């Protein structure tokens, strides 16, 4: 952590955005995975201030994702949502009960939430899109994509 903090301090001048409003200029929110191989800015060609980026394991639309999108859309003006899953995701093919059992052995507690594994990445993205379509809080253009970590290409799903 100390090395990360030191790197941040050296870059502070380049990272500051005084006067930039919180509303994203492109009026788009992106839901994608937390995977360290994904550099969202390069993947979709954006600059700071252009889109909201929400990241979690598997690019899943969860209750917390909906909460963030509600704020993004209804208070900060986004009009479209892109859900971007990716190939070789760590959640792909996991068995929920096995993950829960492993966590319980290691911690002594079972998670009180769904882990959210999926059979294949396309199905995971489609499930997230369906959750958005079923939410009274999501609106506008809702589209899903899969990012191929080997080729760097995006393909639309659904």
């Amino acid at each position: 952590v100390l090395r990360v903090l030191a790197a941040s301090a050296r870059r502070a001048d380049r990272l500051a955005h005084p006067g930039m409003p919180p509303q994203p200029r492109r009026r788009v929110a992106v839901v994608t995975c937390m995977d360290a191989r994904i550099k969202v800015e390069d993947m979709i060609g954006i600059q700071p201030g252009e889109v909201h980026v929400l990241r979690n394991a598997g690019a899943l639309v969860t209750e917390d994702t909906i909460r963030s999108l509600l704020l993004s859309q209804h208070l900060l003006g986004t009009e479209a949502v892109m859900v971007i899953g990716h190939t070789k995701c760590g959640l792909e093919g996991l068995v929920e009960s096995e993950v829960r059992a492993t966590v319980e052995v290691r911690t002594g507690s079972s998670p009180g939430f769904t882990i959210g594994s999926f059979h294949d990445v396309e199905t995971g993205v489609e499930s997230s899109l369906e959750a958005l379509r079923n939410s009274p809080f999501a609106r506008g253009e809702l589209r899903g994509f899969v990012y191929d970590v080997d080729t760097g290409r995006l393909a639309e799903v659904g």
Side-chain angles (χ1 to χ4, degrees), residues 39-56:
K39 189 172 179 186
V40 179
E41 296 79 5
D42 290 343
M43 180 177 61
I44 60 173
I46 59 168
Q47 298 296 317
E50 292 188 324
V51 303
H52 284 159
V53 178
L54 310 175
R55 294 179 77 140
N56 66 36

Side-chain angles (χ1 to χ4, degrees), residues 3-113:
R3 281 185 264 168
V4 172
L5 291 174
S8 176
R10 288 190 302 273
R11 303 176 63 172
D13 290 342
R14 289 183 280 158
L15 298 174
H17 300 291
M20 183 183 290
Q23 296 84 358
R25 289 189 304 275
R26 293 195 186 191
R27 298 184 176 271
V28 173
V30 174
V31 177
T32 195
C33 189
M34 66 184 199
D35 191 293
R37 295 171 289 184
I38 298 173
K39 189 172 179 186
V40 179
E41 296 79 5
D42 290 343
M43 180 177 61
I44 60 173
I46 59 168
Q47 298 296 317
E50 292 188 324
V51 303
H52 284 159
V53 178
L54 310 175
R55 294 179 77 140
N56 66 36
L60 303 178
V61 173
T62 63
E63 184 177 332
D64 189 57
T65 308
I66 295 287
R67 179 190 68 83
S68 294
L69 286 171
L70 176 147
L71 297 169
S72 175
Q73 293 202 303
H74 297 277
L75 297 180
L76 297 169
T78 58
E79 299 170 346
V81 180
M82 296 174 68
V83 176
I84 306 175
H86 67 94
T87 58
K88 300 180 180 179
C89 182
L91 285 181
E92 187 172 3
L94 289 180
V95 177
E96 180 104 9
S97 60
E98 292 174 5
V99 174
R100 289 178 160 294
T102 299
V103 169
E104 189 163 6
V105 165
R106 291 181 181 174
T107 68
S109 296
S110 182
F113 47 84

